[in-house]
Amino acid sequence: MSDFLYLYRGGDSSGTPEQMQQSMQKWSSWLQDLGAKGHIKDQGNPLEATGKVVKKKTSITDGPYAEAKDLIGGYTLVQAKDISEAAKLAAGCPIFDNGGFVEVRPIMQMSM
Amino acid sequence: MAEPGDHLFRREAGRMVAALTRLFGVHNLALAEDVVQDAFCRALEVWKLRGVPENPSAWLMATAKHRALDILRRERTAREYAPELGRLLESEWTLAPVVAEAFGDSAIRNDQLRMMFSCCHPRLPEIAQVALMLHILCGFGVNEVAAAFLTGPAAMEKRIARGKKVLAGSRRLFDFTMSNEPEVEQRLSAVHRALYLLFNEGYHGAHAESAVRAELCVEAMRLAELLLAHPVTDTAATRALVALMCLNAARLPARIDAAGNLSSLYEQNRALWDQELIAKGERLLDHSATGTTITEFHIEAAIAAIHAHARSLEDTNWRMIVDLYDALMKVRPSPVVALNRAIAIAQYQGAERGLVEIAAIADVDRLADYPFYFAALGELEQQLGRTMEARAHFRAASMRARNSMERQFFERRAHEVADIA
């Protein structure tokens, strides 16, 4: 088993209250399902849309500099056999309903 | 991980908008709606990864409250907010307590009630009043309201926008203490009509997908409960209206059978009727006899109570039902009421008599598109053994069916008639 980071990018979550509740319920059942199959290492956290970008000691600007459409909205740490399994598991993510996408990144192994 | 209750977001949307609108003033309704949308976006972002908190409603309220405080502080001079709170919002000493109070349970209930009265503005047509209530107080999106009333989304969008403009004409929510008695009475009766319309739309609305949309009934009943809980609005007519809703809603579990087919009163499994709702409806009906006026709600509730009491069709006191329909024809005459009266007469005086009564309905042409008019003719013709006529009527009903559930129901009746022949 290896570790992978899911980065949730973009996606517009606004909608009618009913649509938003349904979207939330889809997320929780997707994550619950992953958890039940032993793939969740850390449920992760949502990220604020604001922040600072620090490039040099003297250069601090507002906000993540990515385009809003692929701003990272949150992350989850998962476990999977390999990258292709990790990607397959991410395919069920409800973020696609709202135009977002998941970036799947392998966590680098420390031992050689 | 906690599961949020059914339609939690929708319900909380109405509560938050009511509280925020009192703080911001009705002319800032759009701002209130933005705050609610923000709170939901935030909830969605956090909850989807971290799970739903123990008390999601309190979480949403706290989020909306923070945002409201933020706005009121930041834009203190840029905008004019609620005239009734005026100074209280200007001083930092009073701002926080006033906002905290606005998000308390009893304040929110009161504001929902006031919002209901605001929505029933006399300058708005009935359908716009109901649409606004569904949109603002029940958290239905414009498309969802449009679907509830078989209107195109664009037309509904316009209707709701126009409605909001009328509401904004008065900056404060309708105020019981500032209004005179006739005005309160007139608005209350408009609120009654709107809730009645909403309930009926759910109970036997002309929807394309489903003949019964219990959620509209549930929303109507939820709002009507708010009327019962306030001394000014807990009137005889309110009680009769809620009684009518309870007694009819009690039959909802039997209106659709296990196979998903529409089931008429004649064939319903009465064991499925909700006895708790029946008991509540009867209690309210008993307590609704306090006033001097008999409303159509009293009469319709009484009819529903007779059905609820009867163990079977034969056991039903049809004579009393006919008397009640006679009374209803005096209060609110319509061809549909006349049709129901004729059907009740047929139950104890025979099908022949029923057909005579149907033929005598005034404005019968207004029933030309009403499928249940033809279904009633079909039932009576069948009872008289005139199979051919009966089948033709059921086919006519089927052609006018407003959704597949109704269509299947009439088709089945047409087949059953053919089988007997």
Side-chain angles (χ1 to χ4, degrees):
Chain A
M1 284 298 222
S2 310
D3 293 350
F4 297 87
L5 188 66
Y6 283 179
L7 295 169
Y8 305 115
R9 283 190 182 271
D12 178 13
S13 54
S14 61
T16 71
E18 192 68 8
Q19 287 165 343
M20 293 173 85
Q21 180 163 352
Q22 278 166 10
S23 163
M24 211 243 332
Q25 274 154 348
K26 274 192 199 165
W27 272 89
S28 61
S29 61
W30 176 63
L31 283 173
Q32 261 168 21
D33 185 50
L34 283 188
K37 290 176 182 151
H39 289 296
I40 301 281
K41 191 158 182 191
D42 180 342
Q43 193 121 323
N45 276 299
L47 299 178
E48 294 284 359
T50 56
K52 299 279 185 204
V53 178
V54 183
K55 286 183 174 170
K56 269 192 230 159
K57 244 194 279 179
T58 51
S59 159
I60 300 177
T61 54
D62 272 344
Y65 52 110
E67 292 271 326
K69 66 175 170 47
D70 42 47
L71 198 68
I72 299 172
Y75 64 89
T76 301
L77 199 56
V78 299
Q79 284 188 314
K81 209 162 71 244
D82 49 34
I83 181 83
S84 76
E85 190 194 31
K88 203 181 282 169
L89 293 171
C93 181
I95 199 168
F96 306 116
D97 297 349
N98 302 312
F101 60 97
V102 184
E103 187 176 316
V104 183
R105 302 286 299 270
I107 303 284
M108 222 182 255
Q109 301 291 331
M110 293 307 279
S111 56
M112 293 302 288
Chain B
M1 200 188 286
E3 275 294 325
D6 275 353
H7 312 306
L8 169 93
F9 278 30
R10 226 163 59 184
R11 200 142 302 168
E12 296 302 325
R15 284 163 37 89
M16 288 191 282
V17 165
L20 289 161
T21 307
R22 183 161 67 90
L23 287 175
F24 294 161
V26 182
H27 54 297
N28 286 317
L29 179 60
L31 180 63
E33 290 178 323
D34 284 349
V35 170
V36 171
Q37 180 77 17
D38 278 357
F40 283 137
C41 278
R42 212 166 167 80
L44 178 56
E45 293 305 322
V46 177
W47 300 359
K48 71 185 187 192
L49 292 180
R50 304 302 306 174
V52 178
E54 266 318 303
N55 189 342
S57 163
W59 195 103
L60 285 168
M61 287 296 156
T63 307
K65 191 168 72 181
H66 280 299
R67 188 85 189 95
L69 270 172
D70 237 28
I71 290 173
L72 289 168
R73 279 197 187 111
R74 202 153 34 83
E75 299 178 27
R76 201 171 293 179
T77 47
R79 279 183 196 249
E80 196 191 330
Y81 294 108
E84 66 190 79
L85 298 169
R87 284 258 158 75
L88 293 175
L89 297 180
E90 284 166 24
S91 152
E92 191 55 42
W93 292 102
T94 44
L95 175 63
V98 163
V99 171
E101 190 270 341
F103 281 91
D105 266 345
S106 83
I108 288 183
R109 266 200 304 278
N110 205 38
D111 293 343
Q112 285 176 288
L113 202 54
R114 291 177 63 184
M115 180 63 94
M116 236 193 279
F117 274 68
S118 286
C119 288
C120 290
H121 196 286
R123 272 185 47 209
L124 291 172
E126 222 167 57
I127 184 79
Q129 298 174 351
V130 187
L132 282 175
M133 284 213 265
L134 265 183
H135 180 60
I136 297 174
L137 282 162
C138 307
F140 279 53
V142 171
N143 287 0
E144 292 158 356
V145 179
F149 287 100
L150 298 173
T151 321
M156 189 51 83
E157 179 102 61
K158 250 187 232 152
R159 171 164 281 159
I160 286 178
R162 226 174 318 163
K164 282 179 176 171
K165 218 174 260 171
V166 171
L167 292 201
S170 134
R171 305 192 141 207
R172 60 171 72 214
L173 289 171
F174 185 86
D175 196 337
F176 297 106
T177 56
M178 301 270 296
S179 314
N180 53 29
E181 215 172 293
E183 198 182 354
V184 173
E185 225 166 85
Q186 187 221 348
R187 284 271 176 132
L188 179 57
S189 115
V191 170
H192 286 154
R193 291 296 311 163
L195 293 178
Y196 177 77
L197 198 70
L198 180 57
F199 183 87
N200 273 342
E201 193 53 42
Y203 202 74
H204 28 221
H207 198 258
E209 277 156 39
S210 173
V212 179
R213 283 163 306 148
E215 56 174 22
L216 297 185
C217 297
V218 169
E219 292 303 320
M221 291 173 83
R222 193 172 62 82
L223 293 178
E225 285 287 338
L226 291 171
L227 296 178
L228 275 187
H230 193 286
V232 173
T233 51
D234 177 22
T235 62
T238 297
R239 292 174 191 178
L241 174 64
V242 183
L244 149 72
M245 290 177 175
C246 290
L247 289 163
N248 281 309
R251 300 203 301 266
L252 275 176
R255 272 197 96 211
I256 311 274
D257 68 15
N261 294 314
L262 198 59
S263 176
S264 78
L265 178 62
Y266 305 95
E267 44 186 13
Q268 281 175 18
N269 177 1
R270 292 173 185 237
L272 295 177
W273 290 359
D274 187 329
Q275 292 303 322
E276 216 170 289
L277 273 179
I278 291 176
K280 183 177 173 189
E282 286 179 334
R283 205 166 51 239
L284 281 165
L285 188 55
D286 282 347
H287 292 147
S288 72
T290 53
T292 48
T293 48
I294 297 282
T295 63
E296 69 255 45
F297 309 129
H298 285 91
I299 303 169
E300 288 195 39
I303 294 171
I306 294 176
H307 285 307
H309 256 305
R311 282 180 303 259
S312 65
L313 266 196
E314 298 71 35
D315 185 43
T316 307
N317 188 342
W318 290 104
R319 179 177 290 272
M320 196 183 270
I321 288 183
V322 172
D323 287 347
L324 288 165
Y325 273 122
D326 284 337
L328 194 53
M329 280 299 281
K330 289 204 186 87
V331 183
R332 192 167 280 270
S334 86
V336 172
V337 172
L339 176 65
N340 284 321
R341 178 181 166 277
I343 294 170
I345 287 177
Q347 286 296 326
Y348 80 102
Q349 293 192 343
E352 200 77 64
R353 188 60 225 252
L355 287 171
V356 172
E357 292 290 339
I358 290 179
I361 294 175
D363 293 330
V364 76
D365 51 310
R366 278 173 55 199
L367 296 175
D369 289 323
Y370 188 57
F372 290 97
Y373 167 72
F374 295 93
L377 290 174
E379 296 292 347
L380 298 181
E381 292 288 3
Q382 191 215 332
Q383 284 172 27
L384 294 169
R386 297 198 283 258
T387 314
M388 294 281 279
E389 287 85 344
R391 196 167 47 205
H393 285 309
F394 282 122
R395 289 268 143 79
S398 172
M399 277 169 54
R400 290 163 178 81
R402 296 160 301 182
N403 50 61
S404 62
M405 252 185 207
E406 283 183 1
R407 195 168 307 111
Q408 274 164 24
F409 173 73
F410 299 131
E411 286 295 327
R412 176 165 60 82
R413 292 298 293 130
H415 276 292
E416 283 166 358
V417 169
D419 287 347
I420 296 164

